Amino acid sequence: MIVAMDLDPDACYRAIQTRDAGFDGRLFVAVRTTGVYCRPVCPARCPKRENVSFHATAASAQEAGYRACLRCRPETSPQLGAWNGASNTVSRALALIEAGALDAPREDGAGVETLAGRVGVGGRQLRRLFLQHLGATPVGVAQTRRVLLAKQLIHETDLPMGEVALAAGFGSVRRFNETFQQLYDCPPAALRRRKALPSSPGHGPANDAIVLSLRYRPPYDWDAMLAFLAMRAIPGVEIVRDGVYRRAIALDGAAGTIAVRPIGDDRLSVAVRFPKPSALPRILARVRGVFDLSADPVGIGEALSQDPGLAPMVAARPGLRVPGAWDGFELAVRAILGQQITVVAARKLAGDLVAAHGAPLAAPWAEPGLTHTFPSAALLATADLSGMKMPGARIRCLSAMAQAIVEDPNLLSPTAGLEETVKRLRALPGIGEWTAQYIAMRQLREPDAFPAADVALMRALTGADGVRPTAEQLLARAEAWRPWRAYAALHLWASLADQSAPPVRPLARRMR
């Protein structure tokens, strides 16, 4: 039996027979005789064909009554749900669920109706779309997310069970215990007794950090990602050093820090120091967005390689991702500050803004190089910015953006399609097509966003006769790159780099 999506049963069974890692995160196999669902790479003995069903998502398998395997740990598989062919509405709703839209105690019908309204459909239609594309309801997806995060925390940290419950998004320890008893027929502590302590990233006692690993599908051009983030690191808020990205974060009136580094060829290690454990699911969701962990680089590369001009660029940069943003307002401000000036100058302006209006990190959260959190929209909407060394029109644009976020906190949330989002952003003073597309690309994670007016993109496609395409001609050619135009833009920017220079140097020059 195949549940949801167009999963070929023969291909699925061959995948689990050969433990094909290319299917990891794309499907889950449920075994009737054991009541367990697994990843296709599970080391357990391959079940008989008549005893298995295939599911497109872990939530689908869990809603069908199966429990997660303790050997292959489905919670650690790459999260490729946003790329498995789901509709745009479902993808936007998934992003909002990741951001906490259905976190306890809001997982009732009213919560689903509110979520549906944010993506522009009715609650019944959203449930139907989720069942059609994911094989599970929105509430089921949210609960699976909580359960699998809790299971990962149990396996990879030594947090007390009460803190695990809060960190995974459960409304109460009682609900947490009841859910695990129902799913695994044992209390959560029993799963911890089975874990292999030496392999666990753990809970760092030295700095009280929660350390978890996040998987992705390789390849991953980590050097390019790190170079991109380093060039734009806001002084006092972000720092890139020794292959590690660190930043100060603020959520729900609290502040802390994160540190992200690669471990192995398919995982990132995320160390979170934050006073509110309940914020952990949203922090991890934002990390996934910043580092584009849900992308399928193989599938995207194959699609873009159909263009003979892009094919060598894709081959030269396998695993090139679209860097995301930690916070939409922060990115919008950064883009405004960078209009018509160099990246270095924009970075200095952002540092000056943080020094003047950011909130200082208090002990014990402050670290060397991390001194402030980025100022909020509410603060900048009323702040006197006349001392900023930039044109008055740009100051007014910045203030208008801050006021727009105050009036509509969901302005930079994935609640609408690309065209509508760009239209709404362009209605703000000082926001042009390039800036709107850039925000859509990095904050809203729109894979088809494309700043066609960018001079560097035109230069990357200069013909042998030295003639550059116009923005209109570039946009016409980019039709063949849909729905991955954002990734095509990254490859075009990267292609301009001098071979002796660090990766993505053109990105540093052109992208704000």
Side-chain angles (χ1 to χ4, degrees):
M1 179 178 69
I2 301 296
V3 181
M5 304 300 298
D6 297 324
L7 299 179
D8 183 329
D10 293 329
C12 290
Y13 194 72
R14 286 195 299 271
I16 66 171
Q17 282 183 311
T18 58
R19 296 183 175 87
D20 189 341
F23 284 81
D24 196 14
R26 293 182 173 279
L27 66 89
F28 297 87
V29 55
V31 186
R32 298 186 186 90
T33 51
T34 62
V36 167
Y37 72 92
C38 304
R39 298 160 59 188
V41 295
C42 185
R45 180 179 178 182
C46 183
K48 294 181 179 179
R49 174 70 174 270
E50 61 267 23
N51 292 332
V52 300
S53 59
F54 299 105
H55 297 254
T57 65
S60 172
Q62 191 158 298
E63 281 205 350
Y66 294 91
R67 63 185 184 275
C69 176
L70 296 176
R71 293 188 65 180
C72 65
R73 297 181 54 206
E75 71 274 11
T76 65
S77 64
Q79 295 192 6
L80 301 175
W83 309 97
N84 64 6
S87 72
N88 289 334
T89 299
V90 171
S91 295
R92 293 197 298 272
L94 281 172
L96 292 172
I97 290 173
E98 278 287 301
L102 291 183
D103 279 357
R106 294 174 294 169
E107 60 176 56
D108 53 11
V112 174
E113 291 295 333
T114 300
L115 173 64
R118 292 181 66 182
V119 296
V121 298
R124 180 178 297 180
Q125 183 180 0
L126 186 65
R127 294 183 185 92
R128 180 182 62 78
L129 288 172
F130 263 64
L131 288 171
Q132 174 186 345
H133 290 281
L134 305 178
T137 64
V139 169
V141 169
Q143 175 163 305
T144 300
R145 169 177 166 265
R146 287 193 290 274
V147 168
L148 293 184
L149 176 55
K151 189 168 178 288
Q152 185 177 7
L153 287 165
I154 291 170
H155 281 278
E156 296 186 5
T157 78
D158 58 6
L159 285 173
M161 289 299 165
E163 291 188 32
V164 168
L166 292 176
F170 284 89
S172 68
V173 175
R174 178 180 178 181
R175 179 68 180 276
F176 167 68
N177 288 329
E178 289 176 348
T179 299
F180 268 77
Q181 189 68 44
Q182 178 183 358
L183 288 176
Y184 296 100
D185 197 27
C186 66
L191 299 183
R192 170 158 287 171
R193 287 195 291 270
R194 299 185 187 191
K195 77 172 185 175
L197 287 171
S199 64
S200 303
H203 180 230
N207 59 10
D208 200 31
I210 297 174
V211 185
L212 292 173
S213 61
L214 299 180
R215 286 188 184 271
Y216 54 83
R217 187 179 185 189
Y220 194 114
D221 193 339
W222 173 252
D223 289 339
M225 175 65 74
L226 206 62
F228 184 97
L229 296 174
M231 180 62 73
R232 290 154 188 80
I234 301 173
V237 176
E238 303 170 282
I239 187 169
V240 178
R241 183 181 298 157
D242 299 328
V244 182
Y245 171 78
R246 294 182 173 86
R247 69 162 293 136
I249 61 174
L251 285 172
D252 300 335
T257 64
I258 60 170
V260 183
R261 73 184 74 206
I263 49 174
D265 295 328
D266 63 352
R267 290 179 296 162
L268 295 184
S269 169
V270 183
V272 180
R273 299 179 65 231
F274 201 75
K276 292 187 176 182
S278 59
L280 184 62
R282 283 173 291 158
I283 292 172
L284 295 178
R286 292 195 185 197
V287 170
R288 288 190 179 96
V290 169
F291 292 93
D292 200 12
L293 298 188
S294 294
D296 178 1
V298 176
I300 295 170
E302 289 175 352
L304 294 180
S305 294
Q306 299 302 308
D307 184 315
L310 281 182
M313 303 180 193
V314 174
R317 297 280 185 142
L320 189 65
R321 313 280 173 131
V322 176
W326 172 261
D327 175 78
F329 176 65
E330 178 184 308
L331 175 69
V333 170
R334 179 64 179 75
I336 293 168
L337 293 176
Q339 291 173 351
Q340 299 180 346
I341 63 175
T342 66
V343 170
V344 174
R347 181 172 177 265
K348 184 180 184 305
L349 274 178
D352 293 342
L353 184 69
V354 167
H357 302 285
L361 272 179
W365 312 112
E367 300 179 10
L370 301 180
T371 59
H372 293 74
T373 58
F374 197 83
S376 67
L379 190 151
L380 290 187
T382 58
D384 180 6
L385 303 177
S386 59
M388 297 288 294
K389 296 179 180 179
M390 59 184 183
R394 202 163 303 154
I395 291 176
R396 290 190 292 274
C397 175
L398 196 157
S399 297
M401 173 61 75
Q403 185 59 41
I405 297 297
V406 170
E407 295 173 359
D408 181 8
N410 295 323
L411 177 64
L412 299 178
S413 297
T415 57
L418 176 59
E419 292 185 6
E420 182 180 345
T421 296
V422 169
K423 181 179 178 181
R424 283 161 43 186
L425 290 173
R426 292 198 63 183
L428 298 174
I431 302 298
E433 178 73 13
W434 192 98
T435 304
Q437 291 283 349
Y438 184 57
I439 292 173
M441 177 190 294
R442 292 196 58 198
Q443 163 60 17
L444 302 178
R445 310 303 306 150
E446 285 283 355
D448 208 31
F450 190 70
D454 187 86
V455 176
L457 293 180
M458 301 178 204
R459 190 166 73 247
L461 288 176
T462 299
D465 55 2
V467 177
R468 296 180 185 177
T470 65
E472 291 74 18
Q473 291 171 333
L474 178 59
L475 203 56
R477 179 169 179 179
E479 282 296 310
W481 306 334
R482 288 183 180 274
W484 311 117
R485 293 189 303 178
Y487 292 86
L490 263 292
H491 280 290
L492 289 172
W493 275 315
S495 72
L496 297 175
D498 179 36
Q499 295 300 315
S500 63
V504 304
R505 189 178 68 178
L507 296 178
R509 287 200 302 265
R510 297 303 312 170
M511 293 186 71
R512 304 302 185 206

